[in-house]
Every structure is written in C-alpha cells, then in structure tokens.
Amino acid sequence: MIWTLILKYWRVIGGFLAMAAFLGWITWQGQHITTLKGKLAVSQASIVSYEESLSVLQADTKAKIQALEEEKNREIERTKTQERLLGRIEGASDEQNGPVAPVLRDTVERLYGRTPDTNKSD
C-alpha cells in the first residue's frame, strides 16, 4: 500500500525530497557562513591586538634609540673634554709640572686604555 502511494505520487515526493535537500544545503551553507564570520571576527580582534602590541614596541624602540643617541652625544662630549684636558696636561711647561705630573699622566693614559711608559723620567 505504501508502494502504491509512492508510485502514484512519485513526482510530489521527489519534488519534496529535492526541496528538502535544497533547503538543507542552504541551511548548511548559512551555518558555514556564520562560522566563517565568527572566525573573521576573532581574526580581526587578533589583528587589533597585534597592532597595539606593535605600536607599543615601536614607541619603546624609538625611546631606546633616542636614549642611546643622547648617551652617544654625552660620550662624545666627555671624550672631547678628556682629550682637551689630556692635551693641556701633556703640553704643560716645566714650571707647571709638579711632583704629581707623572702620576696624573699615567692615570690619564690608563683611562684611554694605553699602557703608560714607565721608562720616562720627568
């Protein structure tokens, strides 16, 4: 009896099954799109987080570069001052040289990383 109904209304049943399959496919695609939208939202949130981290790192790097530049400039000035003072010490006349002149000269030489000449007699 069921087979008789199926054979009699096969076009209606086939159409219904085709419609059900089509609606199922559309529903599945809708869920797939919803899932992809969720993944997109998570990805966009990650991008925002990474951009914030990057901007913090860039600001930190700029601050460190600026600090290093300032330190470099201070060291250049310090070196120029030391060289100027060393020139004054080395160019001092005999009247200006006192008993501590050799010790001072040796100390300045050591500051520059040179080995003082211990064979000099001043």
Side-chain angles (χ1 to χ4, degrees):
M1 172 154 174
I2 194 144
W3 289 110
T4 310
L5 281 174
I6 291 174
L7 289 175
K8 185 175 181 182
Y9 298 107
W10 71 271
R11 288 184 180 152
V12 174
I13 293 171
F16 177 76
L17 290 175
M19 183 67 84
F22 181 70
L23 290 176
W25 181 76
I26 288 178
T27 302
W28 178 78
Q29 287 295 324
Q31 289 175 348
H32 187 64
I33 289 171
T34 302
T35 302
L36 290 176
K37 284 182 180 178
K39 288 181 181 180
L40 178 63
V42 169
S43 297
Q44 288 173 337
S46 295
I47 288 171
V48 169
S49 173
Y50 292 146
E51 286 174 344
E52 289 173 358
S53 297
L54 180 62
S55 67
V56 167
L57 288 173
Q58 286 175 334
D60 185 47
T61 302
K62 285 180 183 178
K64 287 179 180 178
I65 288 172
Q66 183 179 2
L68 287 172
E69 287 288 330
E70 291 170 1
E71 179 67 23
K72 178 189 83 168
N73 292 336
R74 283 193 301 270
E75 286 298 317
I76 288 172
E77 288 300 317
R78 187 173 78 83
T79 301
K80 286 179 182 178
T81 302
Q82 286 178 346
E83 288 176 353
R84 187 172 20 90
L85 292 175
L86 180 61
R88 286 181 60 197
I89 291 169
E90 289 176 348
S93 66
D94 287 340
E95 300 97 38
Q96 293 174 326
N97 276 336
V100 296
V103 174
L104 182 57
R105 189 176 308 115
D106 290 347
T107 303
V108 170
E109 291 291 330
R110 284 189 182 103
L111 283 174
Y112 278 95
R114 301 181 204 137
T115 306
D117 188 5
T118 55
N119 294 333
K120 281 186 184 177
S121 59
D122 289 330

